[in-house]
Amino acid sequence: MRMNIAIDGPVGAGKSSVSDAVAKKMGILHLDTGAMYRALGLTALRKGIDTGDEEKIVGLCRALKIGVRHEADGQHTFVEGEDVTGMIRTPEVSMAASTVSRYAEVRKEMVRIQQQLAAETDMLVDGRDICTTVLPNATAKIFLTAAPEERARRRWLEMKEKGMEEPFEKVLEELKARDEQDMNRPVEPLRQAPDAVLVDSTSLTFDETVDAIVRIAEAKRHG
Ligand code: DC
């Protein structure tokens, strides 16, 4: 039977890096769905399209070919065949991704692609609506979170390591704004699925978080 692990959670809970490590340990691929919304957000910014204009964004989403490919160094994300992996992690693209992800028609298209990919192979999928909408029948469902200050601290460190120096307060503010937008949008807001297992990583190390999720996933897989 197909094995799918679904992980949802807010900004900066460590989803991406934790998901990568869990997938590696379990010998399966990791699909980062946020990268797809980021690719759309990036394209809107590049084309000068207002991300608040739903009609235009939905039109753009339908016209674009957004794809992912798994390579030795992880997931690569493509727009019309161009590898945009290195361009989608800036704060501007983060906010644009959060805004374009509010639109029902955008979500429908993204969910369709994600479901197709997950049906093809065993996969860990991370995002905001994976347990609730994309893979409601996943083998294991996890809601990964941490306190906002801790999430902001991790985000700040990660950005600093990449040479993007931002004041901590600004990172925290942006994180709260994005939480607010992701949790309060009318369509498929971020929330813990009733049958998802809560993993709070506030006081866990990276390795402890990875191990906790692998344990839960393995128990479900064999249970
Ligand atoms: O996980 P991330 O930070 O890369 O996601 C970027 C934005 O995309 C996030 O603010 C909300 C949106 N998103 C979503 O709505 N649904 C998903 N499955 C993944 C991301």
Side-chain angles (χ1 to χ4, degrees):
M1 220 176 79
R2 180 67 61 234
M3 181 177 57
N4 286 143
I5 313 288
I7 303 187
D8 289 321
V11 172
K15 267 185 316 199
S16 286
S17 41
V18 166
S19 295
D20 253 347
V22 171
K24 229 172 245 142
K25 271 201 168 174
M26 299 189 72
I28 58 177
L29 292 180
H30 164 213
L31 175 65
D32 167 7
T33 60
M36 297 170 60
Y37 292 94
R38 286 172 180 273
L40 178 61
L42 170 77
T43 308
L45 292 177
R46 277 172 151 188
K47 289 184 181 282
I49 299 174
D50 176 9
T51 52
D53 187 331
E54 179 165 358
E55 217 180 298
K56 287 214 174 108
I57 295 296
V58 169
L60 178 67
C61 180
R62 289 202 178 120
L64 278 185
K65 197 167 165 7
I66 294 177
V68 302
R69 204 161 62 214
H70 288 90
E71 297 181 3
D73 62 347
Q75 174 175 320
H76 284 245
T77 307
F78 296 83
V79 175
E80 299 294 327
E82 179 194 356
D83 189 341
V84 295
T85 313
M87 288 168 247
I88 55 175
R89 301 283 155 197
T90 65
E92 292 72 28
V93 173
S94 298
M95 207 56 208
S98 172
T99 303
V100 301
S101 75
R102 291 189 317 210
Y103 307 136
E105 289 304 312
V106 166
R107 303 202 65 81
K108 222 160 114 184
E109 182 56 16
M110 298 291 189
V111 168
R112 190 185 63 77
I113 300 170
Q114 292 156 13
Q115 287 177 333
Q116 228 170 38
L117 290 167
E120 281 166 10
T121 174
D122 288 350
M123 207 174 238
L124 181 155
V125 185
D126 91 276
R128 303 290 190 288
D129 58 342
I130 311 303
C131 301
T132 48
T133 307
V134 180
L135 300 172
N137 299 317
T139 319
K141 296 182 182 184
I142 315 281
F143 191 81
L144 177 63
T145 191
E149 285 72 19
E150 177 59 20
R151 290 190 280 122
R153 193 187 65 81
R154 292 177 192 167
R155 196 63 160 194
W156 177 78
L157 273 175
E158 191 184 292
M159 287 169 67
K160 201 168 144 196
E161 274 166 19
K162 287 185 187 153
M164 291 187 268
E165 294 262 359
E166 296 262 8
F168 175 77
E169 283 308 319
K170 185 162 175 251
V171 176
L172 179 61
E173 237 169 65
E174 277 172 4
L175 179 135
K176 285 184 172 168
R178 210 141 63 92
D179 271 1
E180 175 74 23
Q181 181 156 280
D182 294 346
M183 291 169 138
N184 294 310
R185 66 176 177 227
V187 194
E188 291 157 12
L190 168 67
R191 63 188 162 85
Q192 182 181 345
D195 54 350
V197 181
L198 176 71
V199 175
D200 184 333
S201 72
T202 308
S203 52
L204 297 182
T205 64
F206 179 81
D207 289 345
E208 286 169 345
T209 310
V210 171
D211 287 346
I213 295 177
V214 170
R215 268 201 307 277
I216 295 164
E218 289 291 358
K220 296 273 183 196
R221 184 189 206 175
H222 300 297

